[in-house]
Structure formats: C-alpha cells, structure tokens
Amino acid sequence: MRRRFLFVFLCLFCLFFAAGCSSPKYQAVDLGSLETTAEGEAEAEKLNERALAAVGAAVKPSGTELETLAGAGGLEESETSQASAEPEGQSEAGLPGTDTETPAPEEPLAASASDEVLTNGYIVAVDAGRQAKANTEKEPIGPSSETMKAKMSEGSTGTATGVPEYELTLAVAKKLEAELKARGYEVVMIRSSNDVNLSNAERAEIANESGAAIFIRLQANVMENSGVYGALTMCMTAQNPYNAGLHDKSYTLSKKIVDSICAQTGTKNRGVQEVDNSGAINWSQIPVSVVRLGFLSNPDEDRWMQNEDYQGKIVNGIADAVDSYFGEGN
C-alpha cells in the first residue's frame, strides 16, 4: 500500500514539475526502478500515456496557433494549408513516399498559323488617279471608239492646301492597300509612286490581267463654285457601248462605296453618277467604280482630305463597302 502511494506521489510530482516550466525539458522516466506488479504496470502505462499526451500538446501547435503564425508571417500560406489539410503519411509531390510525380515542364507552343493574316481569296485592284506629269497624247475613250481624250490629264490642286490631286490619291490608295490586306484581300496597286506614265487604258489593262475581281479608281473633284462639297462615285450606264454587262455589279459596288464613305466622314452624299464618256471606266473588263473623294475646290473639304484621321475614315468606308459587296456573293 505504501509502495503504491509512493508511486502515485512520484508520478504527480513529475507531471506538475513538467507543466510548471515555461521551457519544458522532457526527461525519460525510469519505470524499471518501480515495482512491476500488475497494478503498478497499469498505473505506469496510464502515466506514460498522460506524459506522451502532454509532450504532444507542447510540441504540436493547434489549428488556431497555425493561423496566428501564418498571420504574423511565421508560415507561408502553402505551409498553413499543408499542415491543416495534408493527410498523415502523404508527402509533397515528387518526394519519396508518394505516388505523385512532378509533371514535366510543358514545351513552348510553336507559332500558330492562325496568327498570320489569311487571304480570303479575293483580289482588288486599286488605282491612285493622276500622276506627277500629265500625258497629253490622245487615246480612245473606249475600245474601238472614235472619241479621243488625253491619256492622263494633269489633275487638280487643293485650293487651300496646294496639295496636288496625284499626291492625295496615292496617300489614300496606300492606306487602302494596307487596310484591305489586313482584312485578307490581295491588292494589286496600279501605281505606287508619282513618277509613272500610265494612261487610262493601260491602267485598266493592268487591272484586267491581274485576276482582280473589282477595280477601284481614286480621284478628286473640282468645280468653279467653291461652296460645293461631298463625295460621289461613278460607273457606266446600263447601255454603255463598251462594257454594259458590268453595269449592275459596278453600280452595286459604287453605291456601297459612296454610302459607306459618307456614313464614316459625314460629308455630303452626292450618289452614283452613270456615264459613258469616261476612259477610266470604259476600258475596264471587271466591275469598276471611280471614287471621287471630295472637292479640292472647296477649302474646307480640301483641308479635310489632307487630314490623316479623315483619310482613315475614307479608307474604312471603302473597305467596309468591299466587305459588304463580296459578302453578298458578288
């Protein structure tokens, strides 16, 4: 009886001593020095379990303590989630003791063909009207015609800016070329510089033989009345003696272009003019539209047409019309 009392007393003394230390040092208890009776063994086993529990509580922080450490910067977020959620016996990916292998790094993707601008199968011929030096020699206004006109007239000059028509049309033509290519069209430029010598018939021949589906010819307008302004387009009449069969498609294209330009720019819409005396139209063997961008004789419109943003609106208007034209199956 006295031995049992002494055994209990020693156990309680050890527990209180361990709990009372702020920085506990855990020492092994020599249970072999105690009497190994059945009751003693039972008491020793209970004591051992209580001691282990005390040690575990002192060593392993609780979930609340983990959150406190993480909030104070003591643990990274990944460490907190691992300590609270990772099952025992499961180690990090790629380390021994796990079936999970570290995935191999992905190979960089090759450049996709879709990143490149794809052609839509349509070819558009674009002519920047006029040229730096006029050609006053004569040519028929159409195949087998007895009516003669200058091969290429000098063109007009802006009344306010002094910019010649051939410079304006080439600037817009180059922007149109870039925009159409960006939309998937192949573009045939009749001229890419001002120093050329090409007649109306020769320009039409280039377009006719290029495989282009349509021919867009850019020009500007002048009138004695400087108050007149606006955009218009031109095509042949339905009775044209040279290419009347192209009237319907040429008219459709011309109507779409003038409507779209005016919608973009806000200038006056002067519609489609149907004529039979234009060498710029009569030599064409594919649907054609002569686009008069505006009036160089009007000081305001002259300034507008030299503005980069305004030119961009003209170009977008023409390109939108071309999209609409082909979108309807023409």
Side-chain angles (χ1 to χ4, degrees):
M1 184 69 180
R2 292 178 61 187
R3 290 181 179 177
R4 182 180 300 174
F5 177 79
L6 179 60
F7 172 78
V8 172
F9 176 79
L10 289 173
C11 291
L12 292 174
F13 177 79
C14 292
L15 288 172
F16 290 147
F17 179 80
C21 296
S22 59
S23 300
K25 295 181 180 180
Y26 304 103
Q27 298 179 352
V29 178
D30 186 8
L31 299 179
S33 63
L34 302 176
E35 186 173 327
T36 57
T37 63
E39 292 179 352
E41 290 176 355
E43 290 293 336
E45 184 175 353
K46 292 180 180 180
L47 178 60
N48 190 35
E49 291 175 355
R50 293 175 63 184
L52 290 173
V55 172
V59 173
K60 184 177 181 181
S62 65
T64 302
E65 291 170 330
L66 283 169
E67 294 174 359
T68 303
L69 287 171
L75 290 175
E76 298 290 340
E77 181 180 356
S78 60
E79 293 175 337
T80 305
S81 61
Q82 183 182 12
S84 60
E86 182 174 313
E88 293 182 6
Q90 182 176 356
S91 59
E92 295 180 0
L95 297 179
T98 177
D99 294 330
T100 306
E101 295 181 0
T102 303
E106 296 183 0
E107 295 181 1
L109 295 176
S112 174
S114 61
D115 294 337
E116 302 177 359
V117 177
L118 300 178
T119 60
N120 56 27
Y122 293 108
I123 303 174
V124 178
V126 176
D127 176 35
R130 315 306 180 190
Q131 56 198 27
K133 186 177 180 179
N135 186 342
T136 58
E137 294 180 10
K138 304 292 185 178
E139 69 178 3
I141 63 169
S144 304
S145 175
E146 295 181 359
T147 304
M148 308 291 285
K149 279 190 174 182
K151 288 185 175 182
M152 183 55 57
S153 61
E154 183 177 1
S156 307
T157 301
T159 186
T161 66
V163 176
E165 182 181 356
Y166 64 82
E167 288 187 4
L168 169 65
T169 58
L170 184 59
V172 175
K174 287 182 176 180
K175 289 182 174 65
L176 179 58
E177 176 190 21
E179 180 62 25
L180 289 174
K181 284 183 175 180
R183 299 189 186 201
Y185 296 95
E186 183 180 342
V187 180
V188 175
M189 293 286 283
I190 304 302
R191 72 176 178 95
S192 297
S193 73
N194 293 316
D195 297 324
V196 298
N197 184 15
L198 294 169
S199 72
N200 279 313
E202 290 169 338
R203 294 174 191 232
E205 184 179 5
I206 294 172
N208 295 338
E209 296 179 356
S210 69
I214 58 174
F215 189 17
I216 297 174
R217 308 192 69 168
L218 306 178
Q219 298 179 3
N221 244 331
V222 290
M223 284 194 70
E224 291 185 5
N225 183 352
S226 61
V228 177
Y229 72 99
L232 62 90
T233 52
M234 301 169 63
C235 71
M236 72 287 293
T237 69
Q239 295 78 36
N240 185 285
Y242 312 106
N243 50 16
L246 300 175
H247 169 266
D248 290 352
K249 288 189 175 183
S250 296
Y251 182 88
T252 298
L253 176 63
S254 297
K255 182 71 164 60
K256 288 182 179 295
I257 289 176
V258 69
D259 288 350
S260 188
I261 287 177
C262 294
Q264 289 273 350
T265 64
T267 194
K268 185 176 180 63
N269 189 334
R270 295 193 169 275
V272 181
Q273 293 185 2
E274 301 174 61
V275 297
D276 290 335
N277 62 349
S278 171
I281 294 172
N282 296 339
W283 287 97
S284 185
Q285 297 173 11
I286 57 177
V288 59
S289 178
V290 175
V291 183
R292 296 287 180 92
L293 304 174
F295 284 79
L296 291 171
S297 51
N298 180 284
D300 290 332
E301 193 156 54
D302 174 28
R303 294 187 187 96
W304 298 342
M305 289 189 292
Q306 306 308 324
N307 180 276
E308 292 286 333
D309 290 339
Y310 192 86
Q311 289 181 7
K313 291 178 180 179
I314 291 175
V315 165
N316 284 330
I318 297 174
D320 286 350
V322 172
D323 283 344
S324 177
Y325 176 84
F326 287 119
E328 294 179 356
N330 291 295

